[in-house]
Amino acid sequence: MSWKTLFSKALTADPDRLHFAAHSHHLWPDAAYEGHMAACDDAMRLADHKWDKVMGPVWAEAQGHVAAELALPDPGTIAFAPNTHDFLIRILSAIPVRPVRVLTTDGEFHSFRRQMDRWSESGDVMVEVVPANKLAEKAQSGGHDLIFASQVLFNSGTVLNGIDELAGLARPEGPWAVIDGYHGFMALDTDLSAVADRIFYLSGGYKYAMSGEGVCFLHAPPGYAPRPPVTGWYAAFDDLALPPGEVGYAPDGRRFLGSTFDPSGLYRFNAVQKMLSETELSTSRISDHVRALQKQFLKQDPLPNMHLLNPLDEAPHARFLAFKGENAAALHAALAERNVVTDVRGDVLRIGFGLYHDTDDVDHLLRFLAQIQALE
């Protein structure tokens, strides 16, 4: 089945483009455009009063969608921000010891890794890095204040095991466990109901939520970090009449808020969620569609000189295939010359499948790869 009609604006904007980077910059469905226009309409119509709507029904609707996707018992634990880095800074600011002892994997994204490297230079953190499959075991040894790991590693597509074990170690007094769900949210069926009272979970709309940048979220477990020192005035949005000198905080996830932000991402996110509901496209159903395309692609053994880091099996799988090889960069460039969009991370070529692909797209990609390899 093809779902291309849901992405007519993005696909017709460049009809010759073959976009196999849904894991990197997911094409926007038409619904995201409509949500964005709704945000503009409200800004024009409501002006100053738009924030009553944004922080009221728009915010609550978005919280409800995230909570439903992750099986969170209380939507109020969710806060939104322009990016997940904002939340990382606020979480670490709330840990009362220095240096903060951090345990993490060797496959975390550049933003986290860069921040850890800089804080290591300044003496604010001490970082211990282990392979993802050793994380839960190492965490059991203790001696850490913060455990941070991606649900799906961005470079290899490895799916993290042991979230329940990490949650079992977490305490309000430390350690805290933070799961970066950027490649997991709406890519894997994720049920946090049993661990929602013990882990932080952060993600955003840029990838599989199909909502673009600027709409990231944090689930913050009750009782953890009630007063983050790095804070903005929106963290007390409910009570702006507090006397000067009193620093109030919202009693729920909003305690992690910063300051004024662009709310259009929330509108896009809500509009895309409505589209998915109306078309009965659950995360599970989209994953089945993607898996069928991945199988079609791999059946042809399209990259015999490269090593697939995340082969398909019956376990939950990333929405992209990660191929490691010396020619990754050259192959990425050759595909780009043919208006085929993939992405490369060092010697790893990532090919991402999404809702806007069908079997014909896979066949076209296979033909391009065969042409390139014939010229080598």
Side-chain angles (χ1 to χ4, degrees):
M1 180 173 290
S2 177
W3 300 101
K4 289 179 178 292
T5 56
L6 300 177
F7 296 84
S8 65
K9 288 184 179 295
L11 294 175
T12 58
D14 187 351
D16 296 326
R17 175 182 58 197
L18 190 58
H19 190 275
F20 271 97
H23 62 287
S24 181
H25 180 115
H26 200 291
L27 293 186
W28 288 15
D30 297 352
Y33 176 88
E34 293 160 5
H36 198 82
M37 292 301 101
C40 294
D41 290 343
D42 277 355
M44 302 295 186
R45 179 173 59 89
L46 299 173
D48 314 60
H49 300 293
K50 75 178 182 182
W51 292 105
D52 295 332
K53 182 172 182 178
V54 170
M55 301 305 293
V58 173
W59 187 275
E61 181 182 346
Q63 285 180 311
H65 291 312
V66 174
E69 177 68 24
L70 298 175
L72 296 171
D74 178 12
T77 61
I78 297 161
F80 295 98
N83 56 73
T84 56
H85 192 254
D86 282 1
F87 289 131
L88 170 65
I89 291 171
R90 291 182 195 126
I91 289 170
L92 194 121
S93 79
I95 297 176
V97 299
R98 290 295 182 276
V100 177
R101 297 163 300 175
V102 179
L103 175 66
T104 189
T105 80
D106 57 2
E108 299 305 314
F109 187 61
H110 308 310
S111 181
F112 175 82
R113 189 178 69 243
R114 173 182 170 84
Q115 187 64 75
M116 289 301 113
D117 288 347
R118 183 63 185 90
W119 276 336
S120 294
E121 287 181 353
S122 65
D124 290 294
V125 302
M126 294 177 60
V127 182
E128 184 173 4
V129 178
V130 298
N133 62 356
K134 300 291 185 182
L135 182 74
E137 176 185 349
K138 186 63 181 179
Q140 297 284 346
S141 66
H144 304 101
D145 305 302
L146 177 67
I147 304 166
F148 187 101
S150 291
Q151 186 180 9
V152 178
L153 301 191
F154 84 99
N155 52 355
S156 67
T158 300
V159 178
L160 182 72
N161 293 315
I163 291 178
D164 290 353
E165 295 177 57
L166 298 180
L169 300 173
R171 302 286 186 275
E173 63 274 16
W176 296 350
V178 179
I179 303 301
D180 180 349
Y182 229 127
H183 279 287
F185 180 65
M186 296 190 68
L188 303 178
D189 283 316
T190 303
D191 186 337
L192 300 181
S193 58
V195 297
D197 60 336
R198 285 162 289 162
I199 70 161
F200 293 86
Y201 184 97
L202 49 83
S203 188
Y206 193 68
K207 302 185 187 300
Y208 315 102
M210 301 179 266
S211 307
E213 52 279 310
V215 55
C216 292
F217 69 85
L218 171 72
H219 157 70
Y224 288 68
R227 292 169 54 84
V230 174
T231 186
W233 68 289
Y234 272 47
F237 199 82
D238 283 352
D239 195 355
L240 300 180
L242 283 172
E246 266 191 58
V247 183
Y249 286 84
D252 51 24
R254 293 170 301 163
R255 65 189 184 275
F256 278 94
L257 292 185
S259 295
T260 310
F261 61 96
D262 175 2
S264 61
L266 291 171
Y267 283 79
R268 295 194 302 268
F269 178 67
N270 287 342
V272 171
Q273 291 294 314
K274 180 182 178 183
M275 174 202 80
L276 294 174
S277 176
E278 291 175 346
T279 52
E280 299 182 340
L281 282 168
S282 64
T283 294
S284 178
R285 190 177 180 192
I286 298 171
S287 294
D288 288 344
H289 175 75
V290 166
R291 182 179 288 266
L293 298 176
Q294 290 174 330
K295 287 181 177 179
Q296 176 191 350
F297 181 74
L298 292 175
K299 185 178 181 180
Q300 303 301 318
D301 190 21
L303 298 169
N305 297 322
M306 303 185 78
H307 172 59
L308 179 59
L309 297 176
N310 58 338
L312 288 180
D313 53 27
E314 297 307 312
H317 194 277
R319 291 276 177 86
F320 61 91
L321 300 173
F323 291 91
K324 184 179 178 68
E326 294 179 355
N327 62 328
L331 184 54
H332 169 261
L335 288 168
E337 289 175 359
R338 292 160 173 81
N339 205 10
V340 180
V341 183
T342 58
D343 84 330
V344 64
R345 302 290 183 179
D347 60 355
V348 177
L349 178 75
R350 301 189 303 175
I351 302 176
F353 301 76
L355 189 58
Y356 49 87
H357 296 127
D358 58 22
T359 57
D360 287 344
D361 293 322
V362 176
D363 286 339
H364 291 155
L365 176 59
L366 289 166
R367 283 197 290 272
F368 277 125
L369 288 172
Q371 292 170 10
I372 293 168
Q373 291 171 39
L375 296 173
E376 292 177 349

